[in-house]
């Protein structure tokens, strides 16, 4: 009887229930998008910030170099490290600034470099900074003398920083030119956002001869942006769910009024208010579950499209049962709260008044 009552209500009150279903389905789709983005926004934002460079730098306390082993130690702590060795030519007039780096290790932290040509260089190759290339009239394929060594310009790099005035060569070439072994001028380190201070403190303790400092402009901006985005998504989710609750409450309140005669008859026959209210809650729960499935499917497509537009990359739909369970739970809670508010009218319906047609 209980199930039959619910099914008949869904069958004969399609228009009003369809409005509630639409509200819940839209809310489920939005919740899927917001929950999906909320759960991955931190890792996606960390990936985006990775391209803006290091968040830790190890520089000499005294002298001009730091141990190259800092890079190895940082990698053991789960960070990415790229050593740079700055030197200059001795036989060239005027002297040229030369920066040695390891292309494979520096790639993830220098993706902001604007390149003309290729950044992949090996022995006998080099990159010319934009300002240096303009001053010396260097183009792709040009040959440059670095004291007794010559290199072929494979790319022109523009960063808006010191690199624009430098000739960038493989780290081993710069080490040979400077006569330095197992040392670097600076080691740039990219640590996961939540481990920045731990990595910095560990390296500072291991290498007292180096000043291991956090690059505040990158690290603090990363932390602030991630925190604000997650807070905004949380507030937006609450706002959407509040509107949905009001919409469903309004619809079910109207349904209670429309069905007041049925409710009066049931109460006259001995039905208790809690039992009648349970019928309405069951109707909304059935709607909520159906709306969750429909909304989740739409939300997956929307989340993938938004992720592609905002964060770039290939369009992907990634079903996550934890997200689905969360959306289903929230939708059931919204439907239950909205229906409970609407069903509170049941207690005020008097069977005698209803049966007299008043």
């Amino acid at each position: 009887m209980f199930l039959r009552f619910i099914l008949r209500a869904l069958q004969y009150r399609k228009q009003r229930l369809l409005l509630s279903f639409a509200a819940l389905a839209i809310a489920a789709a939005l919740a899927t998008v917001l929950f999906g983005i909320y759960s991955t926004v931190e890792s996606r934002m960390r990936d985006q910030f990775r391209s803006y460079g290091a968040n830790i730098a190890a520089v000499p306390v005294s002298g001009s170099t730091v141990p190259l082993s800092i890079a190895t130690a940082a990698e053991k702590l789960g960070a990415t490290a790229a050593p740079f060795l700055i030197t200059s030519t001795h036989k060239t007039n005027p002297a040229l600034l030369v920066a040695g780096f390891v292309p494979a290790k520096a790639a993830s932290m220098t993706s902001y470099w604007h390149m003309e040509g290729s950044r992949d260089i090996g022995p006998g190759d080099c990159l010319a900074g934009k300002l240096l290339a303009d001053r010396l009239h260097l183009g792709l394929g040009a040959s440059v003398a670095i004291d007794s060594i010559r290199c072929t310009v494979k790319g022109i790099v523009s960063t808006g920083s010191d690199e624009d005035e430098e000739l960038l060569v493989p780290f081993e070439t710069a080490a040979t030119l400077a006569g330095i072994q197992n040392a670097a001028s600076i080691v740039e380190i990219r640590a996961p956002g939540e481990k920045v201070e731990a990595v910095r403190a560990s390296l500072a303790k291991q290498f007292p001869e180096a000043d291991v400092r956090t690059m505040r402009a990158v690290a603090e901006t990363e932390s602030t942006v991630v925190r604000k985005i997650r807070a905004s998504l949380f507030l937006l989710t609450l706002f959407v769910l509040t509107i949905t609750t009001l919409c469903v409450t309004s619809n079910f309140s109207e349904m209670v009024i429309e069905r007041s005669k049925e409710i009066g008859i049931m109460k006259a026959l001995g039905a208790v208010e809690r039992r009648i209210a349970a019928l309405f809650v069951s109707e909304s729960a059935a709607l909520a579950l159906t709306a969750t499935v429909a909304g989740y499917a739409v939300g997956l497509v929307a989340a993938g499209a938004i992720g592609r537009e905002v964060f770039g990359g290939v369009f992907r739909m990634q079903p996550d049962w934890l997200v689905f369970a969360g959306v289903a739970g929230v939708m059931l809670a919204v439907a239950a709260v909205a229906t409970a508010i609407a069903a509170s009218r049941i207690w005020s319906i008097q069977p005698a008044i209803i049966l007299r047609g008043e």
Side-chain angles (χ1 to χ4, degrees):
M1 183 67 182
F2 186 85
L3 181 61
R4 185 178 179 184
F5 184 90
I6 296 172
L7 294 176
R8 291 300 183 188
L10 295 175
Q11 180 180 356
Y12 292 111
R13 290 175 176 81
K14 293 180 181 178
Q15 184 173 0
R16 195 167 294 282
L17 290 175
L18 185 60
L19 289 175
S20 296
F21 173 81
L24 289 168
I26 292 172
L30 290 173
T32 299
V33 173
L34 294 173
F35 288 177
I37 293 177
Y38 186 89
S39 63
T40 61
V41 67
E42 183 169 358
S43 61
R44 291 186 177 187
M45 288 300 297
R46 302 292 185 203
D47 291 341
Q48 292 293 313
F49 273 101
R50 195 186 308 278
S51 65
Y52 293 116
N55 49 21
I56 300 174
V59 297
V61 172
S62 60
S64 59
T65 61
V66 295
L68 190 59
S69 54
I70 291 178
T72 303
E75 290 171 348
K76 289 181 179 179
L77 293 171
T80 302
F84 291 83
L85 179 60
I86 311 300
T87 184
S88 62
T89 58
H90 305 290
K91 300 177 182 179
T92 306
N93 189 20
L96 301 177
L97 284 175
V98 178
F101 73 112
V102 183
K105 292 188 175 182
S108 63
M109 290 189 287
T110 58
S111 58
Y112 63 91
W113 286 4
H114 179 73
M115 292 297 308
E116 177 186 349
S118 173
R119 69 162 63 212
D120 297 324
I121 59 174
D125 299 328
C126 58
L127 303 177
K130 178 63 176 175
L131 297 179
L132 178 66
D134 290 343
R135 189 170 73 246
L136 299 181
H137 306 291
L138 299 176
L140 297 178
S143 180
V144 184
I146 311 175
D147 288 346
S148 59
I149 305 171
R150 298 196 72 85
C151 72
T152 302
V153 177
K154 296 291 291 293
I156 307 295
V157 59
S158 176
T159 69
S161 189
D162 295 339
E163 292 85 1
D164 289 2
E165 293 278 5
E166 297 171 346
L167 200 64
L168 289 88
V169 300
F171 191 89
E172 295 77 9
T173 302
T176 300
L177 181 64
I180 295 174
Q181 297 297 322
N182 298 319
S185 301
I186 181 174
V187 177
E188 295 188 355
I189 301 162
R190 177 74 198 180
E194 68 280 3
K195 295 183 179 179
V196 171
E197 184 53 32
V199 171
R200 187 209 66 77
S202 178
L203 293 176
K205 184 177 180 179
Q206 292 180 59
F207 301 94
E209 66 271 38
D211 178 13
V212 185
R213 61 182 67 166
T214 302
M215 301 178 72
R216 300 290 179 188
V218 175
E220 291 185 0
T221 299
E222 177 179 342
S223 177
T224 300
V225 169
V226 170
R227 187 168 58 251
K228 287 184 176 180
I229 288 179
R230 297 194 75 170
S232 297
L233 288 173
F234 179 74
L235 292 175
L236 182 57
T237 302
L238 286 181
F239 180 69
V240 170
L241 294 178
T242 299
I243 292 177
T244 303
T245 302
L246 292 175
C247 179
V248 176
T249 299
S250 175
N251 274 320
F252 271 85
S253 293
E254 292 297 324
M255 286 178 61
V256 170
I257 294 173
E258 291 176 356
R259 298 167 68 179
S260 58
K261 184 175 292 186
E262 298 173 31
I263 295 170
I265 293 173
M266 285 190 289
K267 291 178 74 173
L269 293 174
V272 296
E273 286 86 351
R274 289 193 304 273
R275 183 71 173 176
I276 300 171
L279 294 172
F280 284 91
V281 173
S282 299
E283 289 177 19
S284 64
L287 279 178
L289 289 175
T290 308
T292 297
V293 174
Y296 184 73
V298 174
L300 275 181
V301 178
I306 292 172
R308 180 188 60 190
E309 292 297 324
V310 175
F311 298 104
V314 181
F315 173 79
R316 295 190 304 271
M317 291 191 297
Q318 299 176 325
D320 186 332
W321 295 112
L322 288 177
V323 172
F324 178 79
V327 173
V330 169
M331 288 301 99
L332 285 171
V334 167
V337 170
T339 310
I341 294 173
S344 62
R345 294 173 175 268
I346 293 172
W347 274 259
S348 63
I349 295 176
Q350 300 298 322
I353 297 175
I354 293 297
L355 293 175
R356 285 202 304 265
E358 297 180 11

